[in-house]
Amino acid sequence: MSTVALASAYHSTRAATPLHPGHQLVEARYAALYRPVRPEVWSSRRLRPVAPDWMPAASFDTAAAALRSAGLRVSAWVVLTHNTRLGVECPDVAVVNCFGERYPYALCPSWPEVREYAASLAREAAEGADEVSLEACGQLGLAHLSHHEKTDGAWTPAATRWLSVCCCPACRTGWTSRGLDATWVVSTLRDAVRAEAAGSAGEVPFAATLLETRHAATDLLRAEVLAELDVPVTLHAHPDPWATGASPGLTPTAAGSVAALVVPAWPTAPETADLIVRAARTGRPVDAYVTVLPPAEPAELLDHARRLTAAGATGVSLYHLGLASGRCQPLLREIANFWA
């Protein structure tokens, strides 16, 4: 039976709805919980979700009922650490880079309060679902699609990596516990970013310890979230251990704790298949996350599907049925049938 990942707790977005009978856009101005926000769970907490005001508060339940009546399983799509509203209201738990600049869209999982919020959010968002799809189960970094974004291509991949290292007090405590001087770490990261901008290689000799600190927080976050769930969980993940964002880098123990992985494979270039190869080495089922929208080249999608299957993909997650116009539907069906 096919499964639809249905937004249950989702970040802010401006989304196209070309097939909707009544409108063409949804303007979700803030991250929202599309289930009842129960006061007995949230009223005493600083970090808490809010209901949407652009659609009915419990819209997930209505949509889930319609999907089940069509014979489909429902996966609660839960976004954990991507929440600009909370990052603005509670900047002390947001990710901060080595220059002291906060990323308000990103909550840092090194904070116990963030992990507690995420675990409760997952439990409330997943109530009654057949499965759960966990996005942003880890740290977000520098990259973020924002209003009139003017940052693409401004930094080298190495500089982006160093600007994605969280330097908040909780992460600094993690460095110190591993024998690093926090002031030296921040200074070295700044020097590395500046070196990359000047055309030199920015060296960070303790990079492995920084990654270990991030992974430790990610593992704690995932463990606390999974402890609240009793249905199969698919984890949005990336085989690059340094990756941040919606699909955070896999830690050594991540794959073994979930039922399956969903790995981004949007570009139809042949080298994208290598991401599936690397993820498949974990031994877990791997869904290839594909789209008919840019950056995909529609004419190349079937060959792309064949390459991903040969690379070890055991299924496909199609993004995004609600965004795709009618002209895309035959292609979506063809891709789905390829894995049927």
Side-chain angles (χ1 to χ4, degrees), residues 259-261 276 280 283-288 308-317 338-340:
L261 305 173
I276 304 298
R284 278 297 188 232
V286 177
D287 269 8
L308 297 177
T309 301
T314 52
V316 59
S317 291
F338 178 81
W339 264 287

Side-chain angles (χ1 to χ4, degrees), residues 81-157:
T81 62
H82 186 183
N83 191 315
T84 304
R85 179 186 63 84
L86 286 178
V88 170
E89 293 178 359
C90 308
D92 55 304
V93 295
V95 171
V96 57
N97 70 22
C98 56
F99 289 89
E101 297 159 329
R102 294 191 181 276
Y103 301 155
Y105 51 84
L107 305 179
C108 180
S110 288
W111 293 99
E113 185 181 10
V114 170
R115 300 196 299 269
E116 180 184 24
Y117 155 78
S120 297
L121 180 70
R123 182 188 65 242
E124 295 293 295
E127 177 66 29
D130 302 306
E131 304 173 13
V132 172
S133 181
L134 283 183
E135 181 178 322
C137 189
Q139 186 208 309
L140 277 73
L142 174 64
H144 181 248
L145 291 177
S146 187
H147 298 299
H148 305 289
E149 189 73 28
K150 301 293 184 183
T151 64
D152 290 351
W155 296 280
T156 65

